[in-house]
Amino acid sequence: MVRRQFHELFAGAVDPDVAEQMAATQRPLALAAFEAPATRAAQKTIESWALSAKQDLAAPAELSRFMAQRAGAHLVEVDAAHAVTVSRPDVVTDVILQAAQKTAR
């Protein structure tokens, strides 16, 4: 991906100046993230939550929904792009708090 596409593909609702900073500081994707074998499926023993960004062009919402359903996760959908943690921190915080409150022992 070329840097000029970052805002459109990853940070659609993020302020353009912030998106430019994000693009400049983005670390390259590590191939090991895709090659490392999973040792166990945590969702089989731990209740999980998933946040799907409906406008995500990097990880399409359909894929996020499929993976959440396959994992049996509580799915929360938001009208946002890939950088949902920057553009909608309120929603991300709510999902984290839901998970923490539900799983607190």
Side-chain angles (χ1 to χ4, degrees):
M1 175 188 62
V2 292
R3 191 164 158 181
R4 69 180 180 276
Q5 293 175 305
F6 184 90
H7 187 254
E8 176 187 343
L9 296 177
F10 286 93
V14 175
D15 177 89
D17 291 335
V18 173
E20 178 60 29
Q21 284 183 329
M22 291 168 66
T25 58
Q26 177 79 23
R27 291 181 55 183
L29 186 62
L31 185 57
F34 295 101
E35 293 181 335
T39 57
R40 59 189 167 125
Q43 79 274 7
K44 292 184 178 184
T45 58
I46 300 172
E47 195 170 1
S48 61
W49 277 254
L51 180 60
S52 178
K54 293 179 186 179
Q55 305 303 318
D56 195 335
L57 299 177
E62 296 81 21
L63 178 60
S64 295
R65 271 189 233 107
F66 169 75
M67 291 188 301
Q69 289 169 350
R70 184 176 64 183
H74 299 276
L75 177 62
V76 176
E77 295 184 283
V78 62
D79 192 22
H82 188 75
V84 65
T85 55
V86 178
S87 66
R88 294 297 310 273
D90 57 322
V91 175
V92 176
T93 300
D94 287 347
V95 171
I96 292 168
L97 290 174
Q98 285 176 29
Q101 291 168 354
K102 179 77 175 185
T103 60
R105 298 185 203 280

Coordinates of all heavy atoms in Angstrom, one line a residue:
M1 N 0.9 -1.2 0.0 CA 0.0 0.0 0.0 C 0.9 1.2 0.0 O 1.8 1.3 0.7 CB -0.9 0.0 1.2 CG -1.7 1.3 1.3 SD -2.6 1.5 2.9 CE -1.3 1.5 4.1
V2 N 0.5 2.2 -0.8 CA 1.3 3.4 -0.8 C 0.7 4.4 0.2 O -0.4 4.3 0.6 CB 1.2 4.1 -2.2 CG1 2.0 3.3 -3.2 CG2 -0.2 4.3 -2.7
R3 N 1.6 5.2 0.7 CA 1.2 6.0 1.9 C 0.0 6.9 1.6 O -0.8 7.2 2.5 CB 2.5 6.9 2.2 CG 2.3 7.6 3.5 CD 3.6 8.1 4.0 NE 3.5 9.2 4.9 CZ 4.5 9.8 5.4 NH1 5.7 9.4 5.2 NH2 4.3 10.8 6.3
R4 N -0.1 7.4 0.4 CA -1.3 8.3 0.1 C -2.6 7.6 0.2 O -3.6 8.2 0.3 CB -1.1 8.9 -1.3 CG -1.2 8.0 -2.5 CD -1.0 8.8 -3.8 NE -1.1 7.9 -4.9 CZ -0.2 7.1 -5.4 NH1 1.0 7.2 -4.9 NH2 -0.4 6.4 -6.5
Q5 N -2.6 6.2 0.2 CA -3.8 5.5 0.3 C -4.2 5.2 1.7 O -5.3 4.7 2.0 CB -3.7 4.2 -0.5 CG -3.6 4.3 -2.0 CD -3.4 3.0 -2.6 OE1 -2.5 2.3 -2.3 NE2 -4.3 2.6 -3.5
F6 N -3.3 5.4 2.7 CA -3.5 5.1 4.1 C -4.8 5.7 4.6 O -5.6 5.0 5.2 CB -2.3 5.5 4.9 CG -2.4 5.1 6.3 CD1 -1.9 3.9 6.8 CD2 -3.1 5.9 7.3 CE1 -2.1 3.5 8.1 CE2 -3.2 5.5 8.6 CZ -2.7 4.3 9.0
H7 N -5.0 7.0 4.4 CA -6.2 7.6 4.9 C -7.5 7.0 4.4 O -8.4 6.6 5.2 CB -6.2 9.1 4.6 CG -7.3 9.9 5.3 ND1 -8.4 10.3 4.7 CD2 -7.5 10.2 6.6 CE1 -9.2 10.9 5.5 NE2 -8.7 10.9 6.7
E8 N -7.5 6.8 3.1 CA -8.7 6.2 2.5 C -9.0 4.7 3.0 O -10.1 4.4 3.3 CB -8.6 6.2 1.0 CG -9.7 5.5 0.3 CD -9.5 5.4 -1.2 OE1 -8.6 6.1 -1.8 OE2 -10.2 4.6 -1.9
L9 N -7.9 3.9 3.0 CA -8.1 2.5 3.3 C -8.2 2.2 4.8 O -8.8 1.2 5.2 CB -6.9 1.7 2.7 CG -6.9 1.7 1.2 CD1 -5.7 1.0 0.7 CD2 -8.1 1.2 0.6
F10 N -7.5 2.9 5.6 CA -7.4 2.6 7.0 C -8.0 3.5 8.0 O -8.5 3.2 9.1 CB -5.9 2.4 7.5 CG -5.3 1.1 7.0 CD1 -4.6 1.1 5.8 CD2 -5.4 -0.1 7.6 CE1 -4.0 0.0 5.3 CE2 -4.9 -1.2 7.2 CZ -4.1 -1.2 6.0
A11 N -8.1 4.8 7.6 CA -8.4 5.8 8.6 C -9.5 6.8 8.1 O -9.4 8.0 8.2 CB -7.2 6.6 9.0
G12 N -10.5 6.2 7.5 CA -11.5 7.0 6.8 C -12.1 8.1 7.5 O -12.3 9.2 7.0
A13 N -12.5 8.0 8.8 CA -13.1 9.0 9.6 C -12.2 9.8 10.5 O -12.6 10.6 11.3 CB -14.3 8.4 10.4
V14 N -10.9 9.5 10.4 CA -9.9 10.1 11.2 C -9.5 11.5 10.5 O -9.4 11.6 9.3 CB -8.7 9.2 11.4 CG1 -7.5 9.9 12.1 CG2 -9.1 7.9 12.0
D15 N -9.2 12.5 11.4 CA -8.8 13.8 10.9 C -7.6 13.5 9.9 O -6.7 12.7 10.3 CB -8.3 14.6 12.1 CG -7.8 16.0 11.6 OD1 -8.6 16.9 11.5 OD2 -6.5 16.0 11.4
P16 N -7.5 14.2 8.8 CA -6.4 13.9 7.8 C -5.0 14.1 8.4 O -4.1 13.4 8.0 CB -6.7 14.9 6.7 CG -8.2 15.1 6.7 CD -8.5 15.1 8.2
D17 N -4.9 15.1 9.3 CA -3.5 15.3 9.9 C -3.1 14.2 10.8 O -2.0 13.8 10.8 CB -3.5 16.7 10.6 CG -3.6 17.9 9.7 OD1 -3.2 17.8 8.5 OD2 -4.0 18.9 10.2
V18 N -4.1 13.7 11.5 CA -3.8 12.5 12.4 C -3.6 11.3 11.5 O -2.6 10.5 11.8 CB -5.0 12.3 13.3 CG1 -4.8 11.0 14.1 CG2 -5.2 13.5 14.3
A19 N -4.3 11.1 10.5 CA -4.1 10.0 9.6 C -2.7 10.0 8.9 O -2.1 9.0 8.8 CB -5.2 9.9 8.5
E20 N -2.2 11.2 8.6 CA -0.9 11.4 8.1 C 0.1 11.0 9.1 O 1.1 10.3 8.7 CB -0.7 12.8 7.6 CG 0.7 13.1 7.1 CD 1.1 12.3 5.8 OE1 0.2 11.9 5.1 OE2 2.3 12.0 5.7
Q21 N 0.0 11.3 10.3 CA 0.9 10.9 11.4 C 0.8 9.4 11.6 O 1.9 8.7 11.7 CB 0.5 11.5 12.7 CG 0.9 13.0 12.9 CD 0.6 13.5 14.3 OE1 -0.4 13.1 14.9 NE2 1.4 14.4 14.7
M22 N -0.4 8.8 11.5 CA -0.5 7.4 11.6 C 0.2 6.7 10.5 O 0.9 5.7 10.7 CB -2.0 7.0 11.6 CG -2.7 7.4 12.8 SD -4.5 7.2 12.7 CE -4.7 5.5 12.6
A23 N 0.1 7.2 9.3 CA 0.8 6.6 8.1 C 2.3 6.7 8.2 O 3.0 5.7 7.9 CB 0.3 7.3 6.8
A24 N 2.7 7.8 8.8 CA 4.2 8.0 8.9 C 4.8 7.1 10.0 O 6.0 6.7 9.9 CB 4.5 9.4 9.2
T25 N 4.0 6.7 11.0 CA 4.6 6.0 12.1 C 4.2 4.5 12.0 O 4.5 3.7 12.9 CB 4.1 6.6 13.4 OG1 2.7 6.6 13.5 CG2 4.7 8.0 13.6
Q26 N 3.4 4.1 11.0 CA 2.9 2.7 10.9 C 4.1 1.8 10.7 O 5.0 2.0 9.8 CB 2.0 2.6 9.7 CG 1.5 1.2 9.4 CD 0.4 0.8 10.3 OE1 -0.3 1.6 10.8 NE2 0.2 -0.5 10.4
R27 N 4.2 0.8 11.5 CA 5.3 -0.2 11.4 C 4.9 -1.2 10.2 O 3.7 -1.5 10.0 CB 5.5 -1.0 12.6 CG 6.0 -0.2 13.8 CD 6.2 -0.9 15.0 NE 7.0 -2.1 14.7 CZ 7.3 -3.0 15.7 NH1 6.9 -2.9 16.9 NH2 8.1 -4.1 15.4
P28 N 5.9 -1.7 9.5 CA 5.6 -2.6 8.5 C 5.0 -3.9 9.0 O 5.3 -4.3 10.2 CB 7.0 -3.0 7.9 CG 7.9 -1.9 8.3 CD 7.3 -1.3 9.6
L29 N 4.2 -4.5 8.3 CA 3.5 -5.8 8.7 C 4.6 -6.9 8.8 O 5.4 -7.1 7.9 CB 2.4 -6.2 7.7 CG 1.6 -7.4 8.0 CD1 0.8 -7.1 9.3 CD2 0.6 -7.6 6.9
A30 N 4.5 -7.6 9.9 CA 5.5 -8.7 10.1 C 4.9 -10.0 9.6 O 3.8 -10.4 10.0 CB 5.8 -8.8 11.6
L31 N 5.6 -10.6 8.7 CA 5.2 -11.9 8.1 C 5.0 -12.9 9.2 O 4.1 -13.8 9.1 CB 6.2 -12.4 7.1 CG 5.8 -13.6 6.3 CD1 4.5 -13.4 5.6 CD2 6.9 -14.0 5.3
A32 N 5.7 -12.9 10.3 CA 5.6 -13.8 11.4 C 4.2 -13.8 12.0 O 3.7 -14.8 12.5 CB 6.6 -13.5 12.4
A33 N 3.5 -12.7 11.9 CA 2.1 -12.6 12.4 C 1.2 -13.6 11.7 O 0.2 -14.0 12.3 CB 1.6 -11.2 12.3
F34 N 1.5 -13.9 10.5 CA 0.7 -14.8 9.7 C 1.2 -16.3 9.7 O 0.5 -17.2 9.4 CB 0.5 -14.3 8.3 CG -0.2 -13.0 8.2 CD1 0.5 -11.9 8.0 CD2 -1.6 -13.0 8.3 CE1 -0.2 -10.6 7.9 CE2 -2.3 -11.8 8.2 CZ -1.6 -10.6 8.1
E35 N 2.5 -16.4 10.1 CA 3.1 -17.7 10.0 C 3.2 -18.5 11.3 O 3.3 -19.7 11.4 CB 4.5 -17.6 9.4 CG 4.6 -17.2 8.0 CD 6.0 -17.1 7.4 OE1 6.9 -16.8 8.2 OE2 6.1 -17.2 6.2
A36 N 3.1 -17.7 12.4 CA 3.2 -18.4 13.7 C 2.0 -19.3 14.0 O 0.9 -18.9 13.8 CB 3.3 -17.3 14.8
P37 N 2.3 -20.5 14.3 CA 1.1 -21.4 14.6 C 0.4 -21.1 15.9 O 1.0 -20.7 16.9 CB 1.8 -22.8 14.7 CG 3.2 -22.5 15.1 CD 3.6 -21.1 14.5
A38 N -0.9 -21.3 15.9 CA -1.7 -21.2 17.1 C -1.5 -22.4 17.9 O -1.4 -23.5 17.4 CB -3.1 -21.0 16.7
T39 N -1.3 -22.2 19.2 CA -1.1 -23.3 20.1 C -2.4 -23.8 20.8 O -2.5 -25.0 21.2 CB -0.1 -23.0 21.3 OG1 -0.6 -21.8 22.0 CG2 1.3 -22.7 20.7
R40 N -3.4 -22.9 20.8 CA -4.7 -23.3 21.3 C -5.7 -22.3 20.9 O -5.4 -21.1 20.6 CB -4.7 -23.6 22.8 CG -4.3 -22.4 23.6 CD -4.1 -22.7 25.1 NE -3.5 -21.6 25.7 CZ -3.9 -21.0 26.8 NH1 -5.1 -21.4 27.4 NH2 -3.3 -20.0 27.3
A41 N -7.0 -22.6 20.9 CA -8.1 -21.7 20.6 C -8.7 -21.1 21.8 O -9.5 -21.8 22.5 CB -9.1 -22.4 19.7
A42 N -8.3 -20.0 22.2 CA -8.7 -19.4 23.5 C -10.2 -19.2 23.6 O -10.8 -19.3 24.6 CB -8.0 -18.0 23.7
Q43 N -10.9 -18.9 22.4 CA -12.3 -18.7 22.5 C -13.1 -19.9 22.9 O -14.3 -19.8 23.2 CB -12.8 -18.2 21.1 CG -13.0 -19.2 20.0 CD -11.7 -19.5 19.2 OE1 -10.6 -19.0 19.6 NE2 -11.8 -20.3 18.2
K44 N -12.4 -21.1 22.9 CA -13.1 -22.3 23.4 C -13.3 -22.3 24.9 O -14.1 -23.0 25.4 CB -12.4 -23.5 22.9 CG -12.5 -23.7 21.4 CD -11.9 -24.9 20.9 CE -12.0 -25.1 19.4 NZ -11.5 -26.3 18.9
T45 N -12.4 -21.6 25.6 CA -12.5 -21.6 27.1 C -12.7 -20.2 27.7 O -13.0 -20.1 28.9 CB -11.2 -22.2 27.6 OG1 -10.1 -21.4 27.2 CG2 -11.0 -23.6 27.2
I46 N -12.6 -19.2 26.9 CA -12.7 -17.8 27.4 C -13.8 -17.1 26.6 O -13.8 -17.0 25.3 CB -11.4 -17.0 27.3 CG1 -10.3 -17.7 28.1 CG2 -11.6 -15.6 27.7 CD1 -8.9 -17.2 27.8
E47 N -14.8 -16.5 27.3 CA -15.8 -15.7 26.6 C -15.1 -14.5 25.8 O -14.2 -13.9 26.4 CB -16.8 -15.2 27.6 CG -18.1 -14.7 27.0 CD -19.1 -14.4 28.1 OE1 -18.9 -14.6 29.3 OE2 -20.2 -14.0 27.7
S48 N -15.6 -14.3 24.6 CA -14.9 -13.2 23.8 C -15.8 -12.2 23.2 O -17.0 -12.5 23.0 CB -14.0 -13.9 22.7 OG -14.8 -14.7 21.9
W49 N -15.3 -11.1 22.8 CA -16.0 -10.0 22.2 C -15.3 -9.7 20.9 O -14.1 -9.8 20.8 CB -16.1 -8.8 23.1 CG -17.2 -8.9 24.1 CD1 -18.3 -8.1 24.0 CD2 -17.2 -9.7 25.2 NE1 -19.1 -8.5 25.1 CE2 -18.5 -9.4 25.9 CE3 -16.4 -10.6 25.8 CZ2 -18.9 -10.0 27.0 CZ3 -16.8 -11.2 27.0 CH2 -18.0 -10.9 27.6
A50 N -16.0 -9.2 19.9 CA -15.4 -8.7 18.7 C -16.1 -7.4 18.2 O -17.3 -7.2 18.4 CB -15.6 -9.8 17.6
L51 N -15.3 -6.6 17.7 CA -15.7 -5.3 17.2 C -15.5 -5.3 15.7 O -14.4 -5.5 15.2 CB -15.0 -4.1 17.8 CG -15.3 -2.7 17.4 CD1 -16.8 -2.4 17.7 CD2 -14.4 -1.7 18.1
S52 N -16.6 -5.1 14.9 CA -16.5 -5.1 13.5 C -16.8 -3.7 13.0 O -17.8 -3.1 13.3 CB -17.5 -6.1 12.9 OG -17.5 -6.0 11.5
A53 N -15.8 -3.2 12.2 CA -16.0 -1.8 11.6 C -16.6 -2.0 10.2 O -16.0 -2.5 9.3 CB -14.6 -1.1 11.5
K54 N -17.8 -1.5 10.1 CA -18.6 -1.7 8.9 C -18.0 -1.1 7.6 O -18.3 -1.5 6.5 CB -20.0 -1.1 9.0 CG -20.9 -1.9 10.0 CD -22.3 -1.2 10.1 CE -23.1 -1.8 11.2 NZ -24.4 -1.2 11.3
Q55 N -17.2 -0.1 7.8 CA -16.6 0.6 6.6 C -15.1 0.2 6.5 O -14.3 0.9 5.8 CB -16.7 2.1 6.8 CG -18.1 2.7 7.0 CD -19.0 2.3 5.9 OE1 -18.7 2.3 4.7 NE2 -20.2 1.8 6.2
D56 N -14.7 -0.9 7.1 CA -13.3 -1.3 7.1 C -13.0 -1.9 5.7 O -13.6 -2.8 5.2 CB -13.1 -2.4 8.1 CG -11.7 -2.7 8.4 OD1 -10.8 -2.4 7.5 OD2 -11.4 -3.1 9.5
L57 N -12.0 -1.2 5.0 CA -11.5 -1.7 3.7 C -10.3 -2.6 3.8 O -9.9 -3.3 2.9 CB -11.2 -0.5 2.8 CG -12.3 0.4 2.5 CD1 -11.9 1.6 1.7 CD2 -13.5 -0.3 1.8
A58 N -9.7 -2.7 5.0 CA -8.6 -3.6 5.2 C -9.0 -5.0 5.7 O -8.4 -6.0 5.3 CB -7.6 -3.0 6.3
A59 N -10.0 -5.0 6.6 CA -10.5 -6.3 7.0 C -12.0 -6.2 6.9 O -12.7 -5.7 7.8 CB -10.1 -6.6 8.5
P60 N -12.6 -6.6 5.8 CA -14.0 -6.4 5.5 C -15.0 -6.8 6.6 O -14.7 -7.9 7.3 CB -14.3 -7.2 4.2 CG -12.9 -7.3 3.6 CD -11.9 -7.3 4.7
A61 N -16.0 -6.1 6.8 CA -17.0 -6.4 7.9 C -17.5 -7.9 7.7 O -17.7 -8.5 8.8 CB -18.1 -5.4 7.9
E62 N -17.7 -8.3 6.5 CA -18.2 -9.7 6.3 C -17.2 -10.7 7.0 O -17.6 -11.7 7.6 CB -18.4 -10.0 4.9 CG -19.5 -9.2 4.2 CD -19.0 -7.8 3.8 OE1 -17.7 -7.6 3.6 OE2 -19.8 -6.9 3.6
L63 N -15.9 -10.5 6.8 CA -14.9 -11.3 7.3 C -14.9 -11.3 8.8 O -14.9 -12.3 9.5 CB -13.6 -11.0 6.8 CG -12.4 -11.8 7.3 CD1 -12.6 -13.3 7.0 CD2 -11.1 -11.3 6.7
S64 N -15.0 -10.0 9.4 CA -15.0 -9.8 10.8 C -16.2 -10.5 11.4 O -16.1 -11.2 12.5 CB -15.1 -8.4 11.2 OG -13.9 -7.7 10.8
R65 N -17.4 -10.4 10.8 CA -18.6 -11.1 11.3 C -18.4 -12.6 11.3 O -18.8 -13.3 12.2 CB -19.8 -10.7 10.4 CG -20.5 -9.5 10.9 CD -21.8 -9.3 10.1 NE -21.8 -7.9 9.6 CZ -21.6 -7.5 8.4 NH1 -21.5 -8.4 7.4 NH2 -21.6 -6.3 8.0
F66 N -17.9 -13.1 10.2 CA -17.7 -14.6 10.1 C -16.8 -15.1 11.2 O -17.1 -16.1 11.8 CB -17.1 -14.9 8.7 CG -16.6 -16.3 8.6 CD1 -17.5 -17.4 8.5 CD2 -15.3 -16.6 8.6 CE1 -17.1 -18.7 8.4 CE2 -14.8 -17.9 8.5 CZ -15.7 -19.0 8.4
M67 N -15.7 -14.4 11.4 CA -14.7 -14.8 12.4 C -15.3 -14.7 13.8 O -15.1 -15.6 14.6 CB -13.4 -14.0 12.3 CG -12.6 -14.3 11.0 SD -11.0 -13.6 11.0 CE -11.3 -11.9 11.1
A68 N -16.1 -13.7 14.1 CA -16.7 -13.5 15.4 C -17.8 -14.6 15.6 O -17.8 -15.2 16.7 CB -17.4 -12.1 15.5
Q69 N -18.5 -14.9 14.6 CA -19.5 -16.0 14.7 C -18.9 -17.3 14.9 O -19.3 -18.1 15.8 CB -20.5 -16.0 13.5 CG -21.4 -14.8 13.4 CD -22.1 -14.7 12.1 OE1 -21.8 -15.4 11.1 NE2 -23.1 -13.7 12.1
R70 N -17.8 -17.6 14.2 CA -17.1 -18.8 14.3 C -16.5 -19.0 15.7 O -16.5 -20.1 16.2 CB -16.0 -18.9 13.2 CG -15.2 -20.2 13.2 CD -14.2 -20.3 12.1 NE -13.2 -19.3 12.4 CZ -12.2 -19.1 11.5 NH1 -12.1 -19.8 10.4 NH2 -11.3 -18.2 11.8
A71 N -16.1 -17.9 16.3 CA -15.5 -17.9 17.6 C -16.6 -17.9 18.7 O -16.3 -18.0 19.9 CB -14.6 -16.7 17.8
G72 N -17.8 -17.7 18.3 CA -18.9 -17.6 19.3 C -18.8 -16.3 20.1 O -19.2 -16.2 21.3
A73 N -18.2 -15.2 19.6 CA -18.0 -14.0 20.3 C -19.2 -13.1 20.3 O -20.1 -13.2 19.4 CB -16.8 -13.2 19.6
H74 N -19.3 -12.2 21.3 CA -20.3 -11.2 21.3 C -19.9 -10.2 20.2 O -18.8 -9.6 20.4 CB -20.4 -10.5 22.7 CG -20.7 -11.5 23.8 ND1 -22.0 -11.8 24.1 CD2 -19.9 -12.2 24.6 CE1 -22.0 -12.7 25.1 NE2 -20.8 -12.9 25.4
L75 N -20.7 -10.0 19.2 CA -20.3 -9.1 18.1 C -20.9 -7.7 18.3 O -22.1 -7.6 18.5 CB -20.7 -9.7 16.8 CG -20.4 -8.8 15.6 CD1 -18.9 -8.6 15.4 CD2 -21.0 -9.5 14.3
V76 N -20.1 -6.7 18.2 CA -20.5 -5.3 18.2 C -20.1 -4.7 16.9 O -18.9 -4.8 16.5 CB -19.9 -4.5 19.4 CG1 -20.3 -3.0 19.4 CG2 -20.3 -5.1 20.7
E77 N -21.0 -4.1 16.2 CA -20.7 -3.5 14.9 C -20.8 -2.0 15.0 O -21.7 -1.4 15.7 CB -21.6 -4.0 13.8 CG -21.5 -5.5 13.6 CD -22.3 -6.0 12.4 OE1 -23.5 -6.2 12.7 OE2 -21.8 -6.2 11.3
V78 N -19.9 -1.3 14.3 CA -19.9 0.2 14.4 C -19.6 0.7 13.0 O -18.9 0.1 12.2 CB -18.8 0.7 15.4 CG1 -17.4 0.2 14.9 CG2 -18.8 2.2 15.5
D79 N -20.2 1.8 12.7 CA -20.1 2.4 11.3 C -18.8 3.2 11.4 O -18.8 4.4 11.7 CB -21.3 3.3 11.0 CG -21.3 3.8 9.6 OD1 -20.6 3.1 8.7 OD2 -21.9 4.8 9.3
A80 N -17.7 2.5 11.1 CA -16.3 3.2 11.1 C -15.4 2.4 10.2 O -15.7 1.3 9.7 CB -15.8 3.1 12.5
A81 N -14.2 3.0 9.9 CA -13.2 2.4 9.1 C -12.3 1.6 10.0 O -12.5 1.5 11.2 CB -12.5 3.5 8.3
H82 N -11.2 1.1 9.4 CA -10.3 0.2 10.1 C -9.7 0.8 11.4 O -9.5 0.1 12.4 CB -9.1 -0.2 9.1 CG -8.2 -1.2 9.7 ND1 -8.6 -2.6 9.7 CD2 -7.0 -1.1 10.1 CE1 -7.6 -3.2 10.2 NE2 -6.6 -2.4 10.5
A83 N -9.4 2.1 11.4 CA -8.8 2.8 12.5 C -9.8 3.1 13.6 O -9.8 4.2 14.1 CB -8.0 4.0 12.1
V84 N -10.7 2.2 13.9 CA -11.8 2.5 14.8 C -11.4 2.9 16.2 O -12.0 3.6 16.9 CB -12.8 1.3 14.8 CG1 -12.1 0.0 15.4 CG2 -14.1 1.6 15.6
T85 N -10.2 2.4 16.6 CA -9.7 2.8 17.9 C -9.4 4.3 18.0 O -9.4 4.9 19.0 CB -8.4 2.0 18.2 OG1 -7.4 2.2 17.2 CG2 -8.7 0.5 18.4
V86 N -9.1 4.9 16.8 CA -8.8 6.3 16.8 C -10.1 7.1 16.5 O -10.3 8.1 17.1 CB -7.7 6.6 15.7 CG1 -7.5 8.1 15.6 CG2 -6.4 5.9 16.0
S87 N -10.9 6.7 15.6 CA -12.1 7.4 15.2 C -13.2 7.3 16.1 O -14.1 8.2 16.3 CB -12.5 7.1 13.7 OG -12.9 5.7 13.7
R88 N -13.3 6.1 16.8 CA -14.5 5.9 17.7 C -14.0 5.2 19.0 O -14.4 4.1 19.4 CB -15.5 4.9 17.0 CG -16.2 5.5 15.8 CD -17.1 6.8 16.2 NE -18.0 6.6 17.3 CZ -19.2 6.1 17.2 NH1 -19.7 5.7 16.0 NH2 -19.9 5.9 18.3
P89 N -13.1 5.9 19.7 CA -12.6 5.3 21.0 C -13.7 5.0 22.0 O -13.6 4.1 22.8 CB -11.6 6.3 21.5 CG -12.0 7.6 20.8 CD -12.6 7.2 19.5
D90 N -14.8 5.8 21.9 CA -15.9 5.6 22.8 C -16.5 4.2 22.6 O -16.8 3.5 23.6 CB -17.0 6.6 22.6 CG -17.5 6.7 21.1 OD1 -16.7 6.5 20.2 OD2 -18.7 6.9 21.0
V91 N -16.7 3.7 21.4 CA -17.2 2.4 21.1 C -16.2 1.3 21.6 O -16.6 0.3 22.2 CB -17.6 2.2 19.6 CG1 -18.0 0.8 19.3 CG2 -18.6 3.2 19.2
V92 N -15.0 1.5 21.3 CA -14.0 0.5 21.7 C -13.9 0.4 23.2 O -13.9 -0.7 23.7 CB -12.6 1.0 21.1 CG1 -11.5 0.0 21.6 CG2 -12.6 1.0 19.6
T93 N -14.0 1.5 23.9 CA -14.0 1.5 25.3 C -15.2 0.8 25.9 O -15.1 0.0 26.8 CB -14.0 3.0 25.9 OG1 -12.8 3.6 25.4 CG2 -14.0 3.0 27.4
D94 N -16.4 1.0 25.3 CA -17.6 0.3 25.7 C -17.5 -1.2 25.6 O -17.9 -1.9 26.5 CB -18.8 0.8 24.9 CG -19.2 2.2 25.3 OD1 -18.8 2.8 26.4 OD2 -20.1 2.8 24.6
V95 N -16.9 -1.6 24.5 CA -16.7 -3.1 24.2 C -15.8 -3.6 25.3 O -16.0 -4.7 25.9 CB -16.3 -3.4 22.8 CG1 -15.9 -4.8 22.6 CG2 -17.3 -3.0 21.8
I96 N -14.7 -3.0 25.5 CA -13.7 -3.4 26.5 C -14.4 -3.5 27.9 O -14.2 -4.5 28.7 CB -12.5 -2.5 26.6 CG1 -11.7 -2.7 25.2 CG2 -11.6 -2.8 27.8 CD1 -10.6 -1.7 25.0
L97 N -15.1 -2.5 28.3 CA -15.8 -2.4 29.6 C -16.9 -3.5 29.7 O -17.0 -4.2 30.7 CB -16.4 -1.1 29.8 CG -15.4 0.1 30.1 CD1 -16.1 1.4 30.2 CD2 -14.6 -0.2 31.3
Q98 N -17.6 -3.8 28.6 CA -18.6 -4.9 28.6 C -17.9 -6.2 28.9 O -18.3 -7.0 29.7 CB -19.3 -5.0 27.2 CG -20.3 -4.0 26.9 CD -20.8 -4.2 25.5 OE1 -20.9 -5.3 25.0 NE2 -21.2 -3.1 24.9
A99 N -16.8 -6.5 28.2 CA -16.0 -7.7 28.4 C -15.5 -7.8 29.8 O -15.6 -8.9 30.4 CB -14.9 -7.8 27.4
A100 N -14.9 -6.7 30.3 CA -14.3 -6.7 31.6 C -15.4 -7.0 32.7 O -15.2 -7.8 33.6 CB -13.6 -5.4 31.9
Q101 N -16.6 -6.3 32.6 CA -17.6 -6.5 33.6 C -18.2 -7.9 33.5 O -18.5 -8.5 34.5 CB -18.7 -5.4 33.3 CG -18.2 -4.0 33.7 CD -19.2 -2.9 33.2 OE1 -20.1 -3.2 32.5 NE2 -18.9 -1.7 33.6
K102 N -18.4 -8.4 32.3 CA -19.0 -9.7 32.2 C -18.1 -10.8 32.7 O -18.5 -11.8 33.2 CB -19.3 -9.9 30.7 CG -20.0 -11.2 30.4 CD -21.4 -11.3 30.7 CE -22.0 -12.6 30.2 NZ -23.3 -12.8 30.4
T103 N -16.8 -10.6 32.5 CA -15.8 -11.7 32.8 C -15.1 -11.5 34.2 O -14.3 -12.4 34.5 CB -14.8 -11.9 31.7 OG1 -14.1 -10.7 31.5 CG2 -15.5 -12.3 30.4
A104 N -15.4 -10.4 34.9 CA -14.7 -10.2 36.2 C -15.1 -11.3 37.1 O -16.2 -11.7 37.2 CB -15.2 -8.8 36.7
R105 N -14.1 -11.7 37.8 CA -14.3 -12.8 38.8 C -14.2 -12.3 40.2 O -13.6 -11.5 40.6 CB -13.3 -13.9 38.6 CG -13.4 -14.5 37.2 CD -12.4 -15.7 37.1 NE -12.1 -16.0 35.7 CZ -12.8 -16.7 34.9 NH1 -13.9 -17.1 35.2 NH2 -12.4 -16.9 33.7

